[in-house]
Amino acid sequence: MYLKNVTPLIVVGRQRAGTRYLTEVLNSFDDVTIQGEIPNPVMRSLVKFIQESEKYYRGAAKWENPRRVREYQAWTEKKRDLIYAMWANTTQSRRLNPSPDCRYYGYKRPNNEFYFDFYEKHLADQKAVYVYCVRNFVDNYLSISSRWPDRTIEMVADDYLKSVEHYRKIKQAAPDRVLLFNLDDHIKYGFGYLDKNIIEKLDLDLKEDLRTYLAGMGAKNQTVNVSANPRREALTNEEEAYLLSRPALHTEFQKLCCDQSG
């Protein structure tokens, strides 16, 4: 692939919180290419492969043999291309070929904010930009449980709070490279929200015809397309009671909203 002068762009965050929609919007720009999702077992294998390769070449270079040092230097220069190739060729969907004008290149996968440290280390020469997708817990849970009925509210709640906590950590570590896409605000305020908080901050050229198209596209819920079950519209009494026992599910989301509006 040998992409030069591109910035890695990774769409992460909550499942059922607009990652697919946001990726479709970003891929509408000629200078952006976001590949599809990498299955979790494959992702773990890829990370292990990179880490073990890094360990070998770095260890060999410690012997201060000039040839080994050159091998390690060559590895560090090629490692970025290897990561880009993995994004292109290990996803569940068809590969997208970047245009000659590509400025942002990456992939999307919910929960992959947890690989932040990995990418910060192995893409150190080209720091990545991350877009974290989120929405309020209740709608997030109802959408997830409609798609995957075996996921209990306790399971989703624990995952939700861990994800939001990790967003705060990566935002603190890279404040200028971690953007927030709040699906609720996008639904409330329309395309202007996405334009202001994502498109403008990425300095993408939004031509009027593209603006008209994207504004009319809307964020569509995909649950009905991928699940035999209709989307749930309300919590059960037991789930309502559980929600009252975990006030952080509401307050932590509200903090994100305040951080962005402030």
Side-chain angles (χ1 to χ4, degrees), residues 26-153:
L26 292 173
N27 276 334
S28 299
F29 292 86
D30 291 338
D31 45 356
V32 179
T33 301
I34 305 295
Q35 303 288 356
E37 296 187 9
I38 301 173
N40 285 327
V42 176
M43 186 67 192
R44 289 191 292 269
S45 297
L46 296 175
V47 168
K48 182 179 180 181
F49 171 71
I50 293 290
Q51 290 173 335
E52 290 185 348
S53 299
E54 175 77 16
K55 181 179 179 181
Y56 167 78
Y57 282 113
R58 183 184 292 274
K62 288 182 179 179
W63 293 99
E64 298 183 356
N65 178 294
R67 181 170 68 86
R68 295 299 188 187
V69 172
R70 289 195 300 271
E71 288 175 353
Y72 176 65
Q73 292 172 340
W75 157 252
T76 60
E77 293 171 1
K78 293 182 291 187
K79 181 169 56 175
R80 180 195 62 211
D81 293 327
L82 176 60
I83 291 173
Y84 288 172
M86 292 191 312
W87 290 348
N89 296 295
T90 61
T91 65
Q92 296 166 313
S93 54
R94 66 182 179 86
R95 180 177 59 204
L96 300 179
N97 295 318
S99 75
D101 301 322
C102 185
R103 292 193 298 123
Y104 290 103
Y105 185 81
Y107 79 111
K108 82 102 168 174
R109 176 73 191 190
N111 294 324
N112 271 18
E113 61 271 18
F114 293 98
Y115 289 105
F116 174 81
D117 291 340
F118 169 80
Y119 286 127
E120 289 295 283
K121 176 180 180 180
H122 295 290
L123 292 175
D125 59 332
Q126 285 182 299
K127 294 292 188 181
V129 174
Y130 305 82
V131 184
Y132 179 84
C133 299
V134 72
R135 73 175 314 183
N136 74 84
F137 173 74
V138 172
D139 280 315
N140 191 221
Y141 168 66
L142 289 173
S143 186
I144 288 174
S145 64
S146 300
R147 176 69 176 88
W148 298 283
D150 59 325
R151 298 193 188 181
T152 66
I153 192 169

